[in-house]
Amino acid sequence: MSASALPFTLSASPAARLLRDRLILFAIVIGAWESLGLLGVDPIWVSAPSLIAERLWSLALAGDLWRHASRTITEAGLGLALAFAVGVPIGIAMATYKYANSVAEPLVLGLYSLPRVALAPLFIIWFGIDLFSKVMMAFSTVLFVFMLNVHEGLKTVDRDLVDLFRTMRARRGFITRRVLLPWIVPWMIAGLRLGVGLSLIGAVVGELIGASAGLGWYIERSAGHLDTTGVFTGLVTLMAIAMVGNAAVAALDQRFSGWRNP
Amino acid sequence: MDGFERASQGVTLTPPKVAVRGLDISFPGQEGAPVTVLEGLDLELAAGEFLAIVGPSGCGKSTLLRVVSGLLAPSGGQVLVDGVAVTAPPPQVGFMFQRDTLLPWASVFDNIAVGAELAGRSKAVIARRVPELIAFLRLTGFERNLPHQLSGGMRQRVALGRLLAYEPELYLMDEPFGALDSQTKTVMGRELLRVWATHRRSVIFVTHDIEEAVTLADRVVVLSQRPGRIRLDLPITLPRPRDGRALRGTPEFGALCSEVWAALDLAPA
Ligand SMILES: Nc1ncnc2c1ncn2[C@@H]1O[C@H](COP(=O)(O)OP(=O)(O)O)[C@@H](O)[C@H]1O
Ligand SMILES: [Mg+2]
C-alpha cells in the first residue's frame, strides 16, 4: 500500500521524479528526431539534433551565438520591461476611470486584436532597423497583456477589504500601496508568464523583417541559404531562452503568489 | 419621551455616541421603483453601551452599519456620531465583518499591526502592543502565519486583534462570529465581553443568534422585515459579568429570549 511498495523506489521526492520524467521525455524527443535521419528522411528538411549541437558549438566558439542571443534577449527584455512599466499603470487607470474605460474599450480591444506582425514594417520605418524597432515590437505585443491582466485583477479585489480600510480612514494612497498593488501581484506575474513568450515573438518578428543581428535575423538568413540546420539552431536557442524565462517567472510565482494557493 | 425615560435612568446624560434620526435608505430597484430598505429609523446608542441588533435577513442591518461607518450616504435623515453628522468615515470607528477581511498575503502580526498603524501609533508602540494583543487573543506561535494557514476562528481573532489595535471608541460588528461553530462563537463572545468590560467602548453588534444577543448586550433591538423598523427595543438587565453557559439555564434568560423570538415572529414572512 505504501509508496515504497511501488516500483518507483528510485524517486526520492515528487520533485526528483518530475525532473527525471522531464529528462526522459526530452531524451525521447531528441532520439525520435535523430532517428528520422536513420529512417531515410533527408536532413535537408528536418536537420538533426547532432547537426544542431555541432552548429551550436561552432557558433558559440566564434562568439556568434552569444552575439545573436544577447541581441534578441535585450530586445525582448527591454520590450517586456517597458510593457510592464506602461501597461500596469494603464490597467490601474482602466479600473479607476470606469467610464473612460467604457468609452475606450472597443478601440483598445480592436487594437489588441490587430496582428502585431503587420505592424513590423511600420515600426521599421518609424524606429529604424536597429534595436529600438524590435523593442517596440516586443513592447506592443506584450503591452495589452499587462493592461488587461491588471484590469481583470483589480476587478476581483475584495470590496469588503477595501471598505474595511476606508472605515479606518486609510488614505487612497495607503489603500493603493497596501491593498490594491499586493492584490494584483499574481496577475502581474501571470502577465509576465505570457509576456516572456510574446516578447520573444515580437522581437523575432521584427528581426525577420529587417535587422542586422539577432536570432530572428540568423533564422531568416539561414532559411535564405536553405540551411535548415541554421534555422533549427536559431529555434532551439529561442526555445531555451523562453524556457529559462519561464523558469524565472515560475520562481517569482512561487515566491509572491503563495498566499493565493492555500 | 423616550429621551426623558432614558435621562431619568441616567443613561443619556452625555450626548449619545450614535444617533440615527429619521434614516431612510433606498436602492434603485429592478424596474425603476426604488427598494426601500430602511424607513424613518430612529435609534440611539449611549456611550459605553452594548447594543445588539437582530432581524430577518435582508432587513437592512448591514446597510445600517455601513451608513453609521460612513461607507454609505443615507437617502434621507441623518446619522450623528458624537453629535457630528456622518458624511465620511468618522474617527475611531472600528468595523468587523462576518467574512474575515484580512490581507491574505500578510502575516498575523502584520494584519494586526496595520490597525495600530492606521491609528497613527509609532513603530515602537506597535512593536510593544501587537505582541500583547497576540497573547491576549491566544494567537501566540502563529505570528508569522498567513491567513489561509489559520482556522476560521483564528482568522476572526486576528480581525478582532486588528480592531483592538485600531483602538476605536465605537465597534461596529456585522455578524462577526456568524460563520463560526457554536463553541468557538461562545469563546469569541467571552473574549469580546472581556475587552468591553475593561474599556467600555460603545458597540453595535449585529447577529442572527438571539441567545448570543441576549448574552452579550445591554439592549437588544429587533428590526422588522424590509423596510426595517424597530419592532422591539429590549433592555437586558441581566447582571454582569455574564457567563453564557450559566445563563442559558436560567428562567430570566429564557424569558428575554422568548420576548425577542416573539418580536421576530411578528415580522410578516
Ligand atoms: N448596494 C446595494 N444595491 C442594491 N440593493 C442593496 C444594496 N445593498 C443592500 N441592498 C439590499 O438591501 C437589503 C438589505 O440588505 P442588508 O443590509 O445587507 O441586509 P441584512 O439585514 O441581512 O444585513 C437587501 O434586500 C439587499 O438586497
Ligand atoms: Mg447582513
Side-chain angles (χ1 to χ4, degrees), chain B residues 1-7 219 233:
Chain B
M1 59 148 221
D2 202 31
F4 271 118
E5 212 168 77
R6 280 170 195 270
R219 214 174 122 206
D233 191 337

Side-chain angles (χ1 to χ4, degrees), chain A residues 240-259:
Chain A
I241 292 169
M243 284 162 79
V244 170
N246 288 336
V249 174
L252 277 180
D253 196 45
Q254 192 86 30
R255 169 73 184 74
F256 291 107
S257 304
W259 57 268

